[in-house]
Amino acid sequence: MALIVRKYGGSSVADLEKIRNIARKLVDLRREGNDLIVVLSAMKGETDRLINLAKEINPRPDPREMDCLVSIGEQTTVSLMAMTLIGMGQDAVSLLGHQARILTDNAFGSARIENVDASRMRDELKKGRIVVVAGFQGIDPDENITTLGRGGSDTTAVALAAAVSADVCEIFTDVTGVFTTDPNVVPKARKLDRISYDEMMEMASLGAKVLEIRSVEYAKNYNVPLHVRSTFSDEQGTMVVKEDKNMEKQVVSGVAYDKNEARLTVTKVPDRPGIAYKILKPISDANIVVDMIIQNTRAEDMTDITFTVPKKDFQTAMHLLQETAKEIGATRVLGDDNISKVSIVGVGMRNHPGVATEMFGVLSQHNINIMMISTSEIKISCVIDEKYTELAVRVLHDAFGLGKDPKEAHQ
């Protein structure tokens, strides 16, 4: 039989009846002879409730104490699950992040896993127990509770699967797998049977919310097979695995979009060495992530620099940029938070020329203006006006035949 790591998200453990339903499936799986480690998120909405409590006390709560507080959500669900399993006659034990020895750095709120000591979990498995581990949390070198940031339970599950050499890591969520695009935008979006780690990382970074990007990166580094599937259905989901030659036959695997970006432009910047550093350093110091960057050369040794940031950081970045513009003698700062990024992703792009041209042509045919372009080996992203997002996703999905069976799709 197999050693399986399963992760259930907040919507899957939203109430006691859902916890009982999951517990029944786990008992059946254990009775078939499988060893099980189960990673749980907090109940849906619980983490937000705890964050709001903290902000009522202090609008800028201490990061260490914040991690201590929000970790309570996962502690609740793992305890309830272990109790439920024991009540069904199945031996089980709940472990918090520090008990499972998930060792992280000390970046409170966005800690990174540095190591996992799996000895305790292995001992519990040998006793025939289902091991129920709190997702999203760990412990730093000073024995402080840390949290991994939003979506961190995915990363917990993959890290544990790597540490115990699990046969598979199953990520259970409220969707049946990874789709060619958002089914809410394109009803005929098709569920993918398989997708490569690289494609999934691109999709996650570009707005697809199925998996947290760090979890996919971790899975790729340690070659952990991921199975994304639904809590509420027994059907097979999507396997996230190493790339194979068959994947290259499909030029484009998916269309992703992200409405949570904003664009900033500094105009008439003196074109001299180090100027980009001076513009972006204050943004970086404020822990604001910069995505796409374009520099346009003007006449008279002047240039324009445009880049995108998360929409939530738009006002802060705008303020910092205005201060920097004064210091470096730039003319002005322009901002636009009514944009979105639409992207096509596929490992097949490596060997098929003309994909970018086709993408640009499709957008042009529908009078969708492209403001910025970014490319990688397996991705092309365009920044467009936000109001055209859904239209762009639909026409690109159709243009590359993503709603069809792969054998019939556009080559």
Side-chain angles (χ1 to χ4, degrees):
M1 293 283 93
L3 171 52
I4 301 170
V5 174
R6 285 191 161 192
K7 177 262 176 177
Y8 292 93
S11 58
S12 301
V13 292
D15 55 47
L16 294 180
E17 188 53 38
K18 289 181 177 178
I19 290 175
R20 291 189 189 100
N21 289 337
I22 291 170
R24 293 186 192 103
K25 294 178 181 179
L26 296 175
V27 169
D28 289 342
L29 204 58
R30 176 67 193 127
R31 287 175 180 167
E32 292 171 2
N34 299 289
D35 289 326
L36 288 173
I37 296 174
V38 183
V39 176
L40 301 182
S41 298
M43 290 180 171
K44 187 175 182 179
E46 180 64 7
T47 302
D48 287 337
R49 185 186 73 85
L50 293 168
I51 290 171
N52 290 334
L53 280 176
K55 289 184 176 178
E56 283 186 33
I57 294 292
N58 185 339
R60 300 181 65 185
D62 178 81
R64 178 192 180 278
E65 301 306 327
M66 193 67 172
D67 274 9
C68 189
L69 174 67
V70 296
S71 66
I72 294 171
E74 284 70 26
Q75 181 170 343
T76 301
T77 48
V78 295
S79 300
L80 289 171
M81 180 62 77
M83 291 177 191
T84 306
L85 290 165
I86 293 168
M88 293 178 177
Q90 169 59 54
D91 200 3
V93 61
S94 65
L95 299 178
L96 305 182
H98 70 278
Q99 294 169 320
R101 302 310 296 166
I102 300 169
L103 310 175
T104 76
D105 61 19
N106 59 3
F108 297 112
S110 58
R112 298 189 71 88
I113 296 174
E114 296 186 336
N115 190 29
V116 176
D117 178 356
S119 55
R120 171 76 184 273
M121 288 182 287
R122 291 187 185 280
D123 288 344
E124 299 293 354
L125 289 171
K126 287 177 183 176
K127 296 173 184 176
R129 292 173 171 167
I130 294 178
V131 181
V132 188
V133 181
F136 175 66
Q137 59 179 249
I139 189 167
D140 75 3
D142 297 318
E143 301 289 311
N144 296 305
I145 294 171
T146 57
T147 64
L148 309 181
R150 288 291 188 179
S153 292
D154 288 353
T155 306
T156 301
V158 175
L160 298 190
V164 300
S165 301
D167 294 290
V168 66
C169 179
E170 299 185 319
I171 306 293
F172 283 81
T173 181
D174 51 4
V175 296
T176 55
V178 181
F179 284 75
T180 49
T181 195
D182 184 352
N184 295 314
V185 175
V186 182
K188 62 181 180 181
R190 180 174 50 83
K191 186 178 72 178
L192 299 167
D193 294 328
R194 292 159 62 85
I195 188 171
S196 72
Y197 293 123
D198 286 338
E199 287 173 319
M200 191 67 247
M201 278 194 287
E202 290 286 12
M203 295 282 279
S205 70
L206 296 168
K209 306 300 182 185
V210 180
L211 283 174
E212 199 274 327
I213 187 170
R214 284 193 297 171
S215 69
V216 187
E217 182 181 14
Y218 210 111
K220 179 186 177 183
N221 290 341
Y222 292 93
N223 197 24
V224 176
L226 292 179
H227 187 188
V228 182
R229 56 192 308 191
S230 171
T231 305
F232 313 109
S233 169
D234 292 329
E235 70 177 276
Q236 291 294 298
T238 301
M239 291 299 303
V240 186
V241 293
K242 289 172 66 175
E243 180 183 331
D244 59 44
K245 290 183 179 179
N246 287 331
M247 292 178 178
E248 293 186 5
K249 294 178 181 178
Q250 179 77 13
V251 180
V252 175
S253 297
V255 181
Y257 68 93
D258 188 356
K259 294 184 177 182
N260 296 310
E261 293 205 7
R263 181 175 60 141
L264 294 158
T265 300
V266 195
T267 65
K268 292 190 177 180
V269 177
D271 190 6
R272 60 174 183 262
I275 202 71
Y277 171 81
K278 287 185 178 180
I279 288 173
L280 295 176
K281 181 67 164 56
I283 305 295
S284 174
D285 289 345
N287 292 316
I288 297 173
V289 176
V290 173
D291 184 13
M292 302 169 72
I293 305 173
I294 291 177
Q295 181 169 331
N296 299 319
T297 302
R298 287 173 174 257
E300 301 174 357
D301 296 323
M302 305 297 281
T303 187
D304 295 343
I305 294 180
T306 301
F307 58 92
T308 60
V309 299
K311 191 172 289 189
K312 65 182 178 62
D313 296 319
F314 175 61
Q315 294 299 334
T316 302
M318 189 78 173
H319 174 73
L320 291 170
L321 212 51
Q322 286 168 342
E323 293 297 315
T324 303
K326 293 176 185 175
E327 294 174 13
I328 63 176
T331 302
R332 59 177 177 163
V333 177
L334 304 174
D336 183 0
D337 59 355
N338 293 309
I339 65 165
S340 70
K341 180 171 63 177
V342 176
S343 311
I344 57 174
V345 176
V347 293
M349 290 187 197
R350 293 179 181 139
N351 302 314
H352 290 81
V355 180
T357 303
E358 183 161 358
M359 181 184 188
F360 304 154
V362 169
L363 295 178
S364 173
Q365 288 167 19
H366 291 84
N367 295 314
I368 300 173
N369 186 46
I370 300 172
M371 304 174 188
M372 300 175 72
I373 300 168
S374 172
T375 66
S376 75
E377 203 175 25
I378 64 168
K379 171 208 73 178
I380 304 168
S381 296
C382 297
V383 169
I384 63 173
D385 193 311
E386 184 179 7
K387 66 184 179 182
Y388 295 118
T389 307
E390 285 77 11
L391 173 61
V393 170
R394 287 194 295 270
V395 297
L396 289 171
H397 193 269
D398 285 345
F400 289 99
L402 296 179
K404 303 175 184 176
D405 183 277
K407 295 175 183 177
E408 305 171 6
H410 173 88
Q411 298 293 319

